[in-house]
Amino acid sequence: MINYVDLHERLANVGQDHLLKFWYELNENEREQLIHDIEELDLNELKVYFDRATISLNQNALKLDDCLQPIPDQNLISISRTSDECLHGYREEGLKQISESHVAVLLMAGGQGTRLGFAYPKGMYNVGLQSNKTLFCLQAERILRLQKLTAEITGKTGIITWYIMTSEHTMKPTKDYFMANNYMGLKKENVIFFEQGSLPCFEFDGKIILDQKYRIARAPDGNGGIYRALKQWGILDDMKKRGVLYLHAHSVDNILTKVADPVFIGYCVQRNADCAAKVVEKSTPNEAVGVVAIVDDKYQVVEYSEISTKTAELRNVDGRLTFSAGNICNHFFTTEFLQKIGNTYEKELKLHVAKKKIPFVDNSGKRITPEKPNGIKIEKFVFDVFQFAENFVAMEVPRDEEFSALKNADSTGKDCPSTARADLHRLHKKYIEAAGGVVHGDQCEISPHLSYDGENLSTFVKGKSFTTPLHLSYPLASGKI
């Protein structure tokens, strides 16, 4: 057991000795828990974190108009304005890299389905498709189909390793779900789980909040915690051992995600990019979405609140919005770039701060849930590494084909299960009609085992007429890829 006097001295040196104020009221197990919480803190880093965080808080109100530039045309490709021949070349490059097992996927899956009224990891959510497949299942099956498609086209069977970042609270239910569902057909050794970190919650004066007499109040460190976690959990080393060169990283809650998209991978490889982002064209100037842009000669995501209405409404000569590259949390990294971030730049990442109502223990030891914000939570964002890229590019993708977020309950009518389900149905109907089929109605679902992004459908649908609800599927062949 750590000596109380030594522990008190260490905490007092950084102004956090209040964490021990209930020490003599705790039993042995509770003291061990409190010591564990304190030992997880980098005490020398705490003051730096708080000081940087409060600077960030004060800067949030600044407008960036005067130092803002759009992505240069030569660094932005639009799928809808690029020839099929060019896109085919990128796709071939991407499939080649997949066939060599050079491509991995990193899924940011730390979120819980609280806003959906769902008490489990969001990846386990079923939006109500006919197949009853969850987000995890859909994405796993897309990986399986892409591996099979790559083997058919290139003659080589490559492996797409799937790295899944959970949070402290979603790790166990996520792993249990994958085990119970036999990893959705993927090999267990190619699905790697790791956990994002957390940061303590602070009062406005910089003191760490006690959640209980023997527990420190903590919150997940945001999807930008991915970079520290990759290093701490040995994921960077695992990538090197497996020969992974490129990583496609995305959030779990986009039902239309093209997992390990070979066109995106191929484009980034051929452009020699070390970091890239998929974006969608903003629907309106005032759409509440961050935009990828250049600020003071560095790429970053600029939140809509950081741009004036006048700047948001600027348009090019062709009528398109000047700042139109809406961020959708869908990124490409080389593993070399990730090594550089983990070893050098991670500690320089911007800290994003939010004032929150954080439960705390008062001086009498009673746990209080405040009625107004009493402290701050600190997060890092995955896109804040853009500024460190030596060659950053972006790909504008059709929103109706690649982006439908699942964030809210159906009662909101936006970014909810109903809209996600409808968007997938609409896309799959489009695939069937492009392959020569006729569909009467709207409820169409195509199994990822059958088609990754509309390929392989002519044999099944050309010249045929279908009435919805329609679910196109067929059993997987035995064995695993």
Side-chain angles (χ1 to χ4, degrees), residues 363-404:
N363 288 327
S364 69
K366 182 180 179 182
R367 191 171 189 269
I368 305 294
T369 300
E371 295 182 357
K372 61 182 181 179
N374 63 314
I376 62 172
K377 291 183 178 181
I378 302 172
E379 285 187 309
K380 302 171 187 177
F381 292 164
V382 65
F383 51 70
D384 281 327
V385 297
F386 290 179
Q387 62 176 307
F388 305 116
E390 294 180 13
N391 187 14
F392 179 90
V393 297
M395 173 178 281
E396 182 187 278
V397 298
R399 185 187 295 246
D400 64 342
E401 294 183 7
E402 295 205 36
F403 184 59
S404 180

mmCIF file of all heavy atoms in Angstrom, residues 363-404:
data_model
loop_
_atom_site.group_PDB
_atom_site.id
_atom_site.type_symbol
_atom_site.label_atom_id
_atom_site.label_comp_id
_atom_site.label_asym_id
_atom_site.label_seq_id
_atom_site.Cartn_x
_atom_site.Cartn_y
_atom_site.Cartn_z
ATOM 1 N N ASN A 363 -18.582 18.402 0.440
ATOM 2 C CA ASN A 363 -17.686 18.276 1.592
ATOM 3 C C ASN A 363 -18.202 17.330 2.664
ATOM 4 O O ASN A 363 -17.432 16.834 3.492
ATOM 5 C CB ASN A 363 -17.429 19.664 2.206
ATOM 6 C CG ASN A 363 -16.542 20.512 1.309
ATOM 7 O OD1 ASN A 363 -15.668 19.989 0.615
ATOM 8 N ND2 ASN A 363 -16.761 21.831 1.322
ATOM 9 N N SER A 364 -19.508 17.057 2.641
ATOM 10 C CA SER A 364 -20.070 16.119 3.612
ATOM 11 C C SER A 364 -20.006 14.678 3.121
ATOM 12 O O SER A 364 -20.359 13.753 3.851
ATOM 13 C CB SER A 364 -21.523 16.499 3.918
ATOM 14 O OG SER A 364 -22.351 16.248 2.784
ATOM 15 N N GLY A 365 -19.584 14.502 1.857
ATOM 16 C CA GLY A 365 -19.496 13.157 1.293
ATOM 17 C C GLY A 365 -20.718 12.746 0.522
ATOM 18 O O GLY A 365 -20.802 11.611 0.028
ATOM 19 N N LYS A 366 -21.679 13.650 0.360
ATOM 20 C CA LYS A 366 -22.905 13.351 -0.365
ATOM 21 C C LYS A 366 -22.691 13.591 -1.860
ATOM 22 O O LYS A 366 -22.126 14.602 -2.274
ATOM 23 C CB LYS A 366 -24.047 14.226 0.141
ATOM 24 C CG LYS A 366 -25.388 13.957 -0.528
ATOM 25 C CD LYS A 366 -26.481 14.864 0.036
ATOM 26 C CE LYS A 366 -27.816 14.619 -0.648
ATOM 27 N NZ LYS A 366 -28.878 15.529 -0.134
ATOM 28 N N ARG A 367 -23.154 12.656 -2.689
ATOM 29 C CA ARG A 367 -23.015 12.807 -4.137
ATOM 30 C C ARG A 367 -24.137 13.689 -4.664
ATOM 31 O O ARG A 367 -25.319 13.423 -4.440
ATOM 32 C CB ARG A 367 -23.046 11.443 -4.835
ATOM 33 C CG ARG A 367 -22.633 11.497 -6.304
ATOM 34 C CD ARG A 367 -22.487 10.081 -6.864
ATOM 35 N NE ARG A 367 -21.884 10.065 -8.195
ATOM 36 C CZ ARG A 367 -22.572 10.114 -9.336
ATOM 37 N NH1 ARG A 367 -23.894 10.202 -9.292
ATOM 38 N NH2 ARG A 367 -21.955 10.079 -10.498
ATOM 39 N N ILE A 368 -23.748 14.745 -5.372
ATOM 40 C CA ILE A 368 -24.684 15.748 -5.854
ATOM 41 C C ILE A 368 -24.699 15.751 -7.384
ATOM 42 O O ILE A 368 -23.651 15.692 -8.029
ATOM 43 C CB ILE A 368 -24.285 17.165 -5.365
ATOM 44 C CG1 ILE A 368 -24.139 17.195 -3.844
ATOM 45 C CG2 ILE A 368 -25.273 18.211 -5.859
ATOM 46 C CD1 ILE A 368 -25.420 16.968 -3.103
ATOM 47 N N THR A 369 -25.899 15.829 -7.954
ATOM 48 C CA THR A 369 -26.035 16.053 -9.392
ATOM 49 C C THR A 369 -26.433 17.505 -9.585
ATOM 50 O O THR A 369 -27.558 17.898 -9.240
ATOM 51 C CB THR A 369 -27.105 15.129 -10.000
ATOM 52 O OG1 THR A 369 -26.726 13.764 -9.787
ATOM 53 C CG2 THR A 369 -27.231 15.383 -11.501
ATOM 54 N N PRO A 370 -25.538 18.335 -10.112
ATOM 55 C CA PRO A 370 -25.805 19.779 -10.192
ATOM 56 C C PRO A 370 -26.875 20.127 -11.223
ATOM 57 O O PRO A 370 -27.104 19.382 -12.170
ATOM 58 C CB PRO A 370 -24.442 20.357 -10.591
ATOM 59 C CG PRO A 370 -23.768 19.246 -11.325
ATOM 60 C CD PRO A 370 -24.229 17.980 -10.662
ATOM 61 N N GLU A 371 -27.499 21.291 -11.036
ATOM 62 C CA GLU A 371 -28.534 21.750 -11.957
ATOM 63 C C GLU A 371 -27.977 22.649 -13.047
ATOM 64 O O GLU A 371 -28.664 22.949 -14.025
ATOM 65 C CB GLU A 371 -29.632 22.492 -11.173
ATOM 66 C CG GLU A 371 -30.383 21.591 -10.203
ATOM 67 C CD GLU A 371 -31.496 22.333 -9.483
ATOM 68 O OE1 GLU A 371 -31.642 23.554 -9.702
ATOM 69 O OE2 GLU A 371 -32.231 21.685 -8.698
ATOM 70 N N LYS A 372 -26.725 23.107 -12.875
ATOM 71 C CA LYS A 372 -26.079 23.924 -13.891
ATOM 72 C C LYS A 372 -24.614 23.501 -14.011
ATOM 73 O O LYS A 372 -24.089 22.829 -13.102
ATOM 74 C CB LYS A 372 -26.191 25.407 -13.539
ATOM 75 C CG LYS A 372 -25.548 25.799 -12.232
ATOM 76 C CD LYS A 372 -25.765 27.286 -11.961
ATOM 77 C CE LYS A 372 -25.097 27.707 -10.645
ATOM 78 N NZ LYS A 372 -25.286 29.161 -10.389
ATOM 79 N N PRO A 373 -23.950 23.850 -15.104
ATOM 80 C CA PRO A 373 -22.559 23.414 -15.296
ATOM 81 C C PRO A 373 -21.670 23.817 -14.122
ATOM 82 O O PRO A 373 -21.720 24.955 -13.654
ATOM 83 C CB PRO A 373 -22.147 24.138 -16.575
ATOM 84 C CG PRO A 373 -23.415 24.316 -17.332
ATOM 85 C CD PRO A 373 -24.459 24.588 -16.284
ATOM 86 N N ASN A 374 -20.899 22.848 -13.655
ATOM 87 C CA ASN A 374 -20.020 23.082 -12.509
ATOM 88 C C ASN A 374 -18.562 22.736 -12.819
ATOM 89 O O ASN A 374 -17.704 22.797 -11.937
ATOM 90 C CB ASN A 374 -20.488 22.235 -11.317
ATOM 91 C CG ASN A 374 -20.411 20.742 -11.590
ATOM 92 O OD1 ASN A 374 -20.841 20.287 -12.658
ATOM 93 N ND2 ASN A 374 -19.882 19.969 -10.659
ATOM 94 N N GLY A 375 -18.296 22.347 -14.064
ATOM 95 C CA GLY A 375 -16.935 21.969 -14.395
ATOM 96 C C GLY A 375 -16.776 21.740 -15.888
ATOM 97 O O GLY A 375 -17.676 22.067 -16.682
ATOM 98 N N ILE A 376 -15.629 21.191 -16.264
ATOM 99 C CA ILE A 376 -15.348 20.978 -17.682
ATOM 100 C C ILE A 376 -14.938 19.530 -17.961
ATOM 101 O O ILE A 376 -14.320 18.865 -17.131
ATOM 102 C CB ILE A 376 -14.242 21.926 -18.205
ATOM 103 C CG1 ILE A 376 -12.916 21.674 -17.474
ATOM 104 C CG2 ILE A 376 -14.667 23.382 -18.065
ATOM 105 C CD1 ILE A 376 -11.743 22.442 -18.070
ATOM 106 N N LYS A 377 -15.312 19.088 -19.143
ATOM 107 C CA LYS A 377 -14.825 17.832 -19.686
ATOM 108 C C LYS A 377 -13.945 18.159 -20.893
ATOM 109 O O LYS A 377 -14.243 19.084 -21.651
ATOM 110 C CB LYS A 377 -15.982 16.924 -20.106
ATOM 111 C CG LYS A 377 -16.797 16.392 -18.937
ATOM 112 C CD LYS A 377 -17.886 15.426 -19.402
ATOM 113 C CE LYS A 377 -18.660 14.865 -18.214
ATOM 114 N NZ LYS A 377 -19.716 13.901 -18.649
ATOM 115 N N ILE A 378 -12.873 17.400 -21.049
ATOM 116 C CA ILE A 378 -11.887 17.670 -22.094
ATOM 117 C C ILE A 378 -11.871 16.516 -23.090
ATOM 118 O O ILE A 378 -11.870 15.344 -22.696
ATOM 119 C CB ILE A 378 -10.483 17.843 -21.488
ATOM 120 C CG1 ILE A 378 -10.475 18.973 -20.454
ATOM 121 C CG2 ILE A 378 -9.447 18.130 -22.573
ATOM 122 C CD1 ILE A 378 -9.180 19.080 -19.677
ATOM 123 N N GLU A 379 -11.873 16.860 -24.370
ATOM 124 C CA GLU A 379 -11.812 15.844 -25.420
ATOM 125 C C GLU A 379 -10.763 16.212 -26.459
ATOM 126 O O GLU A 379 -10.428 17.380 -26.643
ATOM 127 C CB GLU A 379 -13.159 15.736 -26.147
ATOM 128 C CG GLU A 379 -14.260 15.038 -25.401
ATOM 129 C CD GLU A 379 -15.479 14.855 -26.282
ATOM 130 O OE1 GLU A 379 -15.923 15.850 -26.889
ATOM 131 O OE2 GLU A 379 -15.976 13.722 -26.374
ATOM 132 N N LYS A 380 -10.267 15.190 -27.142
ATOM 133 C CA LYS A 380 -9.438 15.391 -28.330
ATOM 134 C C LYS A 380 -10.236 14.863 -29.522
ATOM 135 O O LYS A 380 -10.995 13.906 -29.384
ATOM 136 C CB LYS A 380 -8.126 14.612 -28.203
ATOM 137 C CG LYS A 380 -7.298 14.978 -26.984
ATOM 138 C CD LYS A 380 -6.139 14.011 -26.811
ATOM 139 C CE LYS A 380 -5.410 14.238 -25.514
ATOM 140 N NZ LYS A 380 -4.325 13.245 -25.303
ATOM 141 N N PHE A 381 -10.054 15.479 -30.680
ATOM 142 C CA PHE A 381 -10.787 15.071 -31.871
ATOM 143 C C PHE A 381 -9.846 14.445 -32.885
ATOM 144 O O PHE A 381 -8.710 14.893 -33.065
ATOM 145 C CB PHE A 381 -11.513 16.259 -32.497
ATOM 146 C CG PHE A 381 -12.653 16.795 -31.671
ATOM 147 C CD1 PHE A 381 -13.181 18.051 -31.931
ATOM 148 C CD2 PHE A 381 -13.207 16.052 -30.642
ATOM 149 C CE1 PHE A 381 -14.241 18.549 -31.181
ATOM 150 C CE2 PHE A 381 -14.258 16.538 -29.876
ATOM 151 C CZ PHE A 381 -14.779 17.787 -30.153
ATOM 152 N N VAL A 382 -10.337 13.416 -33.557
ATOM 153 C CA VAL A 382 -9.513 12.631 -34.464
ATOM 154 C C VAL A 382 -8.950 13.485 -35.596
ATOM 155 O O VAL A 382 -7.837 13.247 -36.076
ATOM 156 C CB VAL A 382 -10.328 11.423 -35.013
ATOM 157 C CG1 VAL A 382 -11.493 11.888 -35.875
ATOM 158 C CG2 VAL A 382 -9.437 10.458 -35.769
ATOM 159 N N PHE A 383 -9.684 14.508 -36.023
ATOM 160 C CA PHE A 383 -9.246 15.291 -37.177
ATOM 161 C C PHE A 383 -8.178 16.338 -36.846
ATOM 162 O O PHE A 383 -7.669 17.008 -37.740
ATOM 163 C CB PHE A 383 -10.440 15.973 -37.856
ATOM 164 C CG PHE A 383 -11.335 16.756 -36.922
ATOM 165 C CD1 PHE A 383 -10.908 17.943 -36.342
ATOM 166 C CD2 PHE A 383 -12.622 16.318 -36.644
ATOM 167 C CE1 PHE A 383 -11.726 18.667 -35.504
ATOM 168 C CE2 PHE A 383 -13.459 17.041 -35.803
ATOM 169 C CZ PHE A 383 -13.009 18.218 -35.224
ATOM 170 N N ASP A 384 -7.833 16.495 -35.592
ATOM 171 C CA ASP A 384 -6.868 17.535 -35.240
ATOM 172 C C ASP A 384 -5.426 17.174 -35.580
ATOM 173 O O ASP A 384 -4.509 17.941 -35.273
ATOM 174 C CB ASP A 384 -7.006 17.900 -33.758
ATOM 175 C CG ASP A 384 -8.190 18.821 -33.498
ATOM 176 O OD1 ASP A 384 -8.489 19.642 -34.381
ATOM 177 O OD2 ASP A 384 -8.828 18.714 -32.440
ATOM 178 N N VAL A 385 -5.225 16.025 -36.224
ATOM 179 C CA VAL A 385 -3.882 15.693 -36.719
ATOM 180 C C VAL A 385 -3.663 16.178 -38.144
ATOM 181 O O VAL A 385 -2.556 16.087 -38.672
ATOM 182 C CB VAL A 385 -3.601 14.171 -36.658
ATOM 183 C CG1 VAL A 385 -3.615 13.676 -35.220
ATOM 184 C CG2 VAL A 385 -4.586 13.399 -37.522
ATOM 185 N N PHE A 386 -4.713 16.681 -38.778
ATOM 186 C CA PHE A 386 -4.575 17.129 -40.174
ATOM 187 C C PHE A 386 -3.418 18.117 -40.320
ATOM 188 O O PHE A 386 -2.718 18.126 -41.330
ATOM 189 C CB PHE A 386 -5.863 17.798 -40.657
ATOM 190 C CG PHE A 386 -7.040 16.870 -40.839
ATOM 191 C CD1 PHE A 386 -8.268 17.376 -41.248
ATOM 192 C CD2 PHE A 386 -6.932 15.513 -40.610
ATOM 193 C CE1 PHE A 386 -9.366 16.550 -41.425
ATOM 194 C CE2 PHE A 386 -8.023 14.663 -40.766
ATOM 195 C CZ PHE A 386 -9.249 15.183 -41.179
ATOM 196 N N GLN A 387 -3.235 18.960 -39.312
ATOM 197 C CA GLN A 387 -2.214 20.010 -39.404
ATOM 198 C C GLN A 387 -0.793 19.441 -39.496
ATOM 199 O O GLN A 387 0.116 20.137 -39.955
ATOM 200 C CB GLN A 387 -2.289 20.919 -38.175
ATOM 201 C CG GLN A 387 -2.014 20.203 -36.851
ATOM 202 C CD GLN A 387 -2.008 21.138 -35.675
ATOM 203 O OE1 GLN A 387 -1.300 22.142 -35.683
ATOM 204 N NE2 GLN A 387 -2.812 20.827 -34.661
ATOM 205 N N PHE A 388 -0.618 18.205 -39.090
ATOM 206 C CA PHE A 388 0.716 17.610 -39.101
ATOM 207 C C PHE A 388 1.013 16.844 -40.389
ATOM 208 O O PHE A 388 2.097 16.294 -40.560
ATOM 209 C CB PHE A 388 0.889 16.676 -37.900
ATOM 210 C CG PHE A 388 0.615 17.338 -36.573
ATOM 211 C CD1 PHE A 388 -0.438 16.921 -35.774
ATOM 212 C CD2 PHE A 388 1.398 18.402 -36.143
ATOM 213 C CE1 PHE A 388 -0.697 17.536 -34.558
ATOM 214 C CE2 PHE A 388 1.151 19.028 -34.924
ATOM 215 C CZ PHE A 388 0.094 18.595 -34.136
ATOM 216 N N ALA A 389 0.042 16.788 -41.285
ATOM 217 C CA ALA A 389 0.227 16.042 -42.541
ATOM 218 C C ALA A 389 1.158 16.797 -43.484
ATOM 219 O O ALA A 389 1.085 18.021 -43.599
ATOM 220 C CB ALA A 389 -1.122 15.810 -43.210
ATOM 221 N N GLU A 390 2.013 16.051 -44.163
ATOM 222 C CA GLU A 390 2.871 16.644 -45.187
ATOM 223 C C GLU A 390 2.177 16.666 -46.540
ATOM 224 O O GLU A 390 2.484 17.500 -47.392
ATOM 225 C CB GLU A 390 4.188 15.862 -45.277
ATOM 226 C CG GLU A 390 5.044 15.972 -44.016
ATOM 227 C CD GLU A 390 6.341 15.207 -44.129
ATOM 228 O OE1 GLU A 390 6.694 14.787 -45.260
ATOM 229 O OE2 GLU A 390 7.017 15.030 -43.094
ATOM 230 N N ASN A 391 1.230 15.739 -46.738
ATOM 231 C CA ASN A 391 0.481 15.708 -47.993
ATOM 232 C C ASN A 391 -0.955 15.296 -47.697
ATOM 233 O O ASN A 391 -1.268 14.111 -47.644
ATOM 234 C CB ASN A 391 1.129 14.750 -48.990
ATOM 235 C CG ASN A 391 0.486 14.828 -50.361
ATOM 236 O OD1 ASN A 391 -0.261 15.760 -50.663
ATOM 237 N ND2 ASN A 391 0.741 13.829 -51.186
ATOM 238 N N PHE A 392 -1.808 16.286 -47.500
ATOM 239 C CA PHE A 392 -3.207 16.051 -47.159
ATOM 240 C C PHE A 392 -4.076 16.189 -48.404
ATOM 241 O O PHE A 392 -3.925 17.139 -49.175
ATOM 242 C CB PHE A 392 -3.674 17.051 -46.098
ATOM 243 C CG PHE A 392 -5.118 16.892 -45.706
ATOM 244 C CD1 PHE A 392 -5.477 16.066 -44.663
ATOM 245 C CD2 PHE A 392 -6.121 17.575 -46.389
ATOM 246 C CE1 PHE A 392 -6.810 15.910 -44.306
ATOM 247 C CE2 PHE A 392 -7.449 17.435 -46.044
ATOM 248 C CZ PHE A 392 -7.794 16.594 -44.992
ATOM 249 N N VAL A 393 -4.990 15.237 -48.600
ATOM 250 C CA VAL A 393 -5.942 15.323 -49.700
ATOM 251 C C VAL A 393 -7.336 14.993 -49.167
ATOM 252 O O VAL A 393 -7.487 14.482 -48.057
ATOM 253 C CB VAL A 393 -5.590 14.360 -50.861
ATOM 254 C CG1 VAL A 393 -4.245 14.717 -51.468
ATOM 255 C CG2 VAL A 393 -5.614 12.909 -50.396
ATOM 256 N N ALA A 394 -8.341 15.300 -49.975
ATOM 257 C CA ALA A 394 -9.723 15.019 -49.577
ATOM 258 C C ALA A 394 -10.502 14.473 -50.762
ATOM 259 O O ALA A 394 -10.184 14.753 -51.919
ATOM 260 C CB ALA A 394 -10.398 16.271 -49.031
ATOM 261 N N MET A 395 -11.517 13.702 -50.462
ATOM 262 C CA MET A 395 -12.386 13.125 -51.486
ATOM 263 C C MET A 395 -13.831 13.468 -51.145
ATOM 264 O O MET A 395 -14.329 13.087 -50.077
ATOM 265 C CB MET A 395 -12.207 11.604 -51.564
ATOM 266 C CG MET A 395 -13.198 10.908 -52.487
ATOM 267 S SD MET A 395 -12.915 9.106 -52.599
ATOM 268 C CE MET A 395 -11.539 9.071 -53.755
ATOM 269 N N GLU A 396 -14.488 14.185 -52.057
ATOM 270 C CA GLU A 396 -15.910 14.510 -51.861
ATOM 271 C C GLU A 396 -16.755 13.369 -52.417
ATOM 272 O O GLU A 396 -16.650 13.021 -53.578
ATOM 273 C CB GLU A 396 -16.257 15.812 -52.579
ATOM 274 C CG GLU A 396 -17.705 16.236 -52.382
ATOM 275 C CD GLU A 396 -18.059 17.430 -53.254
ATOM 276 O OE1 GLU A 396 -17.753 18.564 -52.850
ATOM 277 O OE2 GLU A 396 -18.630 17.214 -54.351
ATOM 278 N N VAL A 397 -17.577 12.789 -51.544
ATOM 279 C CA VAL A 397 -18.383 11.637 -51.936
ATOM 280 C C VAL A 397 -19.859 12.014 -51.916
ATOM 281 O O VAL A 397 -20.268 12.943 -51.207
ATOM 282 C CB VAL A 397 -18.124 10.433 -50.990
ATOM 283 C CG1 VAL A 397 -16.678 10.001 -51.063
ATOM 284 C CG2 VAL A 397 -18.496 10.775 -49.543
ATOM 285 N N PRO A 398 -20.685 11.321 -52.707
ATOM 286 C CA PRO A 398 -22.128 11.619 -52.711
ATOM 287 C C PRO A 398 -22.751 11.291 -51.354
ATOM 288 O O PRO A 398 -22.618 10.171 -50.862
ATOM 289 C CB PRO A 398 -22.674 10.697 -53.808
ATOM 290 C CG PRO A 398 -21.489 10.303 -54.632
ATOM 291 C CD PRO A 398 -20.334 10.282 -53.683
ATOM 292 N N ARG A 399 -23.417 12.250 -50.790
ATOM 293 C CA ARG A 399 -24.028 12.052 -49.472
ATOM 294 C C ARG A 399 -25.019 10.903 -49.491
ATOM 295 O O ARG A 399 -25.066 10.090 -48.557
ATOM 296 C CB ARG A 399 -24.735 13.344 -49.041
ATOM 297 C CG ARG A 399 -25.308 13.310 -47.637
ATOM 298 C CD ARG A 399 -26.131 14.558 -47.364
ATOM 299 N NE ARG A 399 -25.318 15.758 -47.374
ATOM 300 C CZ ARG A 399 -25.093 16.532 -46.310
ATOM 301 N NH1 ARG A 399 -25.628 16.210 -45.148
ATOM 302 N NH2 ARG A 399 -24.370 17.621 -46.414
ATOM 303 N N ASP A 400 -25.811 10.781 -50.568
ATOM 304 C CA ASP A 400 -26.851 9.754 -50.592
ATOM 305 C C ASP A 400 -26.284 8.345 -50.748
ATOM 306 O O ASP A 400 -27.001 7.360 -50.573
ATOM 307 C CB ASP A 400 -27.873 10.040 -51.695
ATOM 308 C CG ASP A 400 -27.272 9.980 -53.093
ATOM 309 O OD1 ASP A 400 -26.031 10.064 -53.227
ATOM 310 O OD2 ASP A 400 -28.037 9.834 -54.067
ATOM 311 N N GLU A 401 -24.985 8.252 -51.060
ATOM 312 C CA GLU A 401 -24.362 6.943 -51.204
ATOM 313 C C GLU A 401 -23.437 6.577 -50.040
ATOM 314 O O GLU A 401 -23.153 5.400 -49.829
ATOM 315 C CB GLU A 401 -23.547 6.886 -52.504
ATOM 316 C CG GLU A 401 -24.390 6.972 -53.762
ATOM 317 C CD GLU A 401 -23.556 6.831 -55.026
ATOM 318 O OE1 GLU A 401 -22.342 6.529 -54.918
ATOM 319 O OE2 GLU A 401 -24.115 7.021 -56.129
ATOM 320 N N GLU A 402 -22.980 7.583 -49.286
ATOM 321 C CA GLU A 402 -21.947 7.267 -48.304
ATOM 322 C C GLU A 402 -22.119 7.872 -46.923
ATOM 323 O O GLU A 402 -21.277 7.655 -46.054
ATOM 324 C CB GLU A 402 -20.579 7.691 -48.851
ATOM 325 C CG GLU A 402 -20.146 6.908 -50.082
ATOM 326 C CD GLU A 402 -18.647 6.869 -50.259
ATOM 327 O OE1 GLU A 402 -17.927 6.804 -49.237
ATOM 328 O OE2 GLU A 402 -18.194 6.904 -51.402
ATOM 329 N N PHE A 403 -23.175 8.629 -46.691
ATOM 330 C CA PHE A 403 -23.275 9.222 -45.359
ATOM 331 C C PHE A 403 -24.712 9.322 -44.876
ATOM 332 O O PHE A 403 -25.542 10.024 -45.452
ATOM 333 C CB PHE A 403 -22.651 10.625 -45.349
ATOM 334 C CG PHE A 403 -22.636 11.265 -43.982
ATOM 335 C CD1 PHE A 403 -21.974 10.661 -42.926
ATOM 336 C CD2 PHE A 403 -23.299 12.460 -43.757
ATOM 337 C CE1 PHE A 403 -21.951 11.242 -41.665
ATOM 338 C CE2 PHE A 403 -23.295 13.055 -42.501
ATOM 339 C CZ PHE A 403 -22.615 12.447 -41.458
ATOM 340 N N SER A 404 -24.984 8.583 -43.808
ATOM 341 C CA SER A 404 -26.266 8.672 -43.113
ATOM 342 C C SER A 404 -26.004 8.352 -41.644
ATOM 343 O O SER A 404 -25.840 7.198 -41.269
ATOM 344 C CB SER A 404 -27.290 7.691 -43.701
ATOM 345 O OG SER A 404 -28.524 7.785 -43.013
#
